[in-house]
């Protein structure tokens, strides 16, 4: 069955692309488009061609699933050339997302008319490739060099109404009367008919349009792109190619970026970024059949976490009751939320109207009866079992029977919290990561008695909150903090063995982590993890277990909040105090730990081995039901470099034999308890 339909409306040939879910440019679609274009070109009754897509969106790019295989003909540049040199005017009717190859198709058409809500973008770099069919070069002729380069190197989509890009479209079809697609198509046809009657439509190749080079500060642009690209080397590769090719024709430059696209497609960075893309899609795919029945939400605690969680829900349009113990704490919490929203508004991220609406969705209270009728309550109070059990006992008393009771604890045993209620089947963990309204990761903790329908409801809710959710079981720190804690243990052990604070943080920054692990500890507060660990017996088999953190906490160095942690924050550029160096050395000497030489590679390797060791145990114990969850946790919870795909993806590249051998060596040095023997082949793909 062809993925395109064609028909005549008067003198206008209508080519409809229909390849759900996102009209991706698969080899079949490319072939069907070329066949249809050939047929239409031979029809002399045709005065113009209107190209549009069925479904919720225009073409969202090449079919990424084809990238692991050799590229098959016909290739996209053939389709682009056919459209650009078509004998009659070609008009693209745009709606939804116009991304990658989809934008390249639209830019090759002679005219573009769009629904004002349309998003356009060249996200190729976020997949480790570059626009492979002249998208950047044609956009330069339509919206100017700098705007086109920004779009192609950022990978981010923008609205067609954004001033820098509104030259892209010849018209925005903003007739609010049309609510269904037929309306947009009818408006599009009407626009073409009128333009034909006025003789305004002629075939015009974008590639032949003049290039207004403008005053581009390439040095500044290169620095800006490098900053936002983080661990992804591709945006700067593309920028350099486009700058080099500025004086060339579209066709000449397009052949260069085509070559780069084909080369990068097979690169490890591109494979890692594809892995991350499909991982997110897989774990985001809707679960369960029960429609989500959550309208109103209660949040217990208006502190930093509680306030940010309330913002998460208001951003998604939910009514929120924010409960606090005292009016003073409540008004402080509500004030922080107001300041946060006004800040986003002042930065132009949201409109004043959106700001006001979201603030109005959050209502404060100090009276538990105000959460009696909510569909879901999320407790975000102080991290103490006693406090949480008393809150859950109260909620069990006041909340309607159908309410779901969730806790945002990051370490505590949710089974024990559930026992404080008569409805353990309705108790679940919703573990947000700080700042909760920014961090994408959400751990849904499936406790021993949590009903499957409750877990499914939370998975559906996560998609509404635009979170990347993983479902995990109960253990200390669940999956995420447990693995991060193991990563932290290895780092503290290397400090005791002689690695310096700077060496550790620089090695992990070099690895591509968003922040050095010790700087992260200072930011989140060294005492947070320390207090959580203090509620559990220290492992006798691991004498150095977070002893460095303990020493700093005992010395009153809790991190940024005290101005002193691993770093001293009294100077503009935080520095490592001699006191910290002495403290760590003293603890290491007291434990009789053998000093070692460390370099960037050995530090990165040790942390990587620790990540894999703990990930394998988390999978083995069934704490995560899908091993894909491991990479998603590191990518969206701890700033693991996306261009590396995640620890499990890296382990596949690394090879199980060498991983197993290195872990064996660590086991000999530090023992079976810290480095348990594991059949890694069970957890790491080898294909
Ligand atoms: N190829 C293949 N499958 C795709 C796809 C694509 N381009 N885009 C989406 N899907 C699948 C997705 O995996 C999911 O599958 C389903 O469609 C619905 O997607 C030559 C080289 C478009 C904003 O990077 O950003 O063009 O899970 O759940 O939330 O120069 O998908 O149902 O089985 O995400 O509404 C550039 C990637 C390619 C766009 C829609 N294009 N896609 O979001 O739905 S490179 C992209 C997205 C390129 C050319 C180059 C989003 C979306 P499943 P969804 P959504």
């Amino acid at each position: 069955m062809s993925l395109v339909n064609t028909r005549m409306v008067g003198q206008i040939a209508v080519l409809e692309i229909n390849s759900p879910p996102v009209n991706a440019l698969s080899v079949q679609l490319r072939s069907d488009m070329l066949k249809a274009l050939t047929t239409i070109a031979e029809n002399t009754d045709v005065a113009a061609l209107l190209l549009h897509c069925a479904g919720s969106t225009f073409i969202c790019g090449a079919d990424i699933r084809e990238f692991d295989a050799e590229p098959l003909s016909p290739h996209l540049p053939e389709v682009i050339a056919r459209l650009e040199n078509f004998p009659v005017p070609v008009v693209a009717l745009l709606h939804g997302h116009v991304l990658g190859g989809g934008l390249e198709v639209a830019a090759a058409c002679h005219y573009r008319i769009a629904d004002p809500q349309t998003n356009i973008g060249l996200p190729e770099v976020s997949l480790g490739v570059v626009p492979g069919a002249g998208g950047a070069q044609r956009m330069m002729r339509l919206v100017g060099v700098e705007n086109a380069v920004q779009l192609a190197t950022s990978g981010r989509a923008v609205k067609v109404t954004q001033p820098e890009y509104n030259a892209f479209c010849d018209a925005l079809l903003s007739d609010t009367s049309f609510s269904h697609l037929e309306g947009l198509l009818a408006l599009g046809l009407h626009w073409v008919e009128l333009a034909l009657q006025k003789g305004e439509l002629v075939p015009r190749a974008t590639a032949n349009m003049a290039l207004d080079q403008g005053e581009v500060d390439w040095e500044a642009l290169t620095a800006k792109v490098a900053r936002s690209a983080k661990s992804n080397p591709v945006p700067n590769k593309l920028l350099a190619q486009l700058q080099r090719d500025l004086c060339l024709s579209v066709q000449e430059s397009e052949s260069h970026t085509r070559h780069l696209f084909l080369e990068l497609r097979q690169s490890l960075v591109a494979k890692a970024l594809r892995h991350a893309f499909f991982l997110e899609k897989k774990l985001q795919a809707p679960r369960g059949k029960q429609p989500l029945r959550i309208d109103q939400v209660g949040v217990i605690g208006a502190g930093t976490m509680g306030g940010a969680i309330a913002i998460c829900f208001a951003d998604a349009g939910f009514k929120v009751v924010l409960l606090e113990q005292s009016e003073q704490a409540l008004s402080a919490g509500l004030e922080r939320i107001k300041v946060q929203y006004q800040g986003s508004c002042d930065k132009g991220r949201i409109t004043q109207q959106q700001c006001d609406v979201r603030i109005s969705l959050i209502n404060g209270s100090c009276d538990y009866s105000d959460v009696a009728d909510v569909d879901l309550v999320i407790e975000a109070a102080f991290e103490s079992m006693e406090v949480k059990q008393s809150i859950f006992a109260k909620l069990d008393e006041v909340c309607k029977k159908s309410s779901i009771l969730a806790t945002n604890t990051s370490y505590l045993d949710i089974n024990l919290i559930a026992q404080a209620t008569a409805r353990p089947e309705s108790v679940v963990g919703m573990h947000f990561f700080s700042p909760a309204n920014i961090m994408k990761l959400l751990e849904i903790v499936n406790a021993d008695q949590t009903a499957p329908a409750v877990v499914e409801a939370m998975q559906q809710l996560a998609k509404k909150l635009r979170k990347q959710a993983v479902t995990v079981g109960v253990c200390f720190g669940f999956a995420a903090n447990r693995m991060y804690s193991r990563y932290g243990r290895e780092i503290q052990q290397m400090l005791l063995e002689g690695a310096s604070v700077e060496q550790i943080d620089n090695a992990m920054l070099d690895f591509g982590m968003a922040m050095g692990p010790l700087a992260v500890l200072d930011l989140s507060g060294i005492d947070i993890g320390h207090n959580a660990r203090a509620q559990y017996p220290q492992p006798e088999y691991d004498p150095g277990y977070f002893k460095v953190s303990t020493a700093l906490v005992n010395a009153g160095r809790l991190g940024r909040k005290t101005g002193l942690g691993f770093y001293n924050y009294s100077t503009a550029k935080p520095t490592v105090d001699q006191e910290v160096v002495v403290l760590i050395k003293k603890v290491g000497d007291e434990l009789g730990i053998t000093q070692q030489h460390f370099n960037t590679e050995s530090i990165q390797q040790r942390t990587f081995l620790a990540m894999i060791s703990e990930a394998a145990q988390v999978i083995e114990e069934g704490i995560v039901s899908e091993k894909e969850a491991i990479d998603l946790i590191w990518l969206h919870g701890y700033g693991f470099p996306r261009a590396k795909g995640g620890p499990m993806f890296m382990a596949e590249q690394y090879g199980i034999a060498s991983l197993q051998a290195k872990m064996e060596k660590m086991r000999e040095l530090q023992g079976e308890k810290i480095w348990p023997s594991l059949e890694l082949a069970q957890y790491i793909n080898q294909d």
Side-chain angles (χ1 to χ4, degrees), residues 128-147:
V129 293
V130 297
Q137 294 86 344
R138 288 185 175 81
M139 284 304 280
M140 284 180 178
R141 275 115 184 118
L142 293 169
V143 300
V145 171
E146 182 140 7
N147 294 332

Side-chain angles (χ1 to χ4, degrees), residues 166-240:
N166 59 25
F168 175 67
C169 288
D170 299 276
L172 295 177
L173 307 174
S174 49
D175 175 318
T176 52
S177 66
F178 72 79
S179 57
H180 50 287
L181 192 58
E182 286 71 29
L184 178 69
L185 181 56
L187 268 171
L189 281 165
H190 181 62
W191 187 89
V192 176
E193 278 156 9
L194 272 187
L196 276 176
Q197 282 159 14
K198 294 185 205 146
E200 288 170 353
L201 290 187
V202 292
R204 58 178 189 178
T206 307
N208 301 340
M209 290 178 181
L211 178 66
D212 163 11
Q213 295 203 14
E215 294 306 309
V216 181
D217 179 344
W218 290 97
E219 207 177 317
L221 202 48
T222 304
K224 183 175 174 203
V225 168
R227 272 194 308 278
S228 60
K230 300 193 180 94
S231 60
N232 183 353
V234 176
N236 275 96
K237 275 202 179 119
L238 174 60
L239 180 78

Side-chain angles (χ1 to χ4, degrees), residues 21-22 60-64 67 100-101 104 123-124 127 131-132 261 277 281:
V22 294
C60 290
D63 190 330
I64 305 169
F67 285 12
E104 292 177 311
E124 285 86 344
L127 290 166
F261 162 66
F277 176 83
K281 298 300 162 201

Side-chain angles (χ1 to χ4, degrees), residues 116-134:
Q117 295 309 313
T118 305
N119 291 308
I120 59 171
L122 290 171
E124 285 86 344
V125 290
S126 60
L127 290 166
V129 293
V130 297

Side-chain angles (χ1 to χ4, degrees), residues 81-104:
R82 181 69 65 83
L83 285 166
E84 189 155 61
N85 304 306
F86 207 67
V88 299
V90 181
V91 180
L93 176 58
L94 311 177
H95 74 292
H97 306 279
V98 182
L99 303 175
L103 186 70
E104 292 177 311

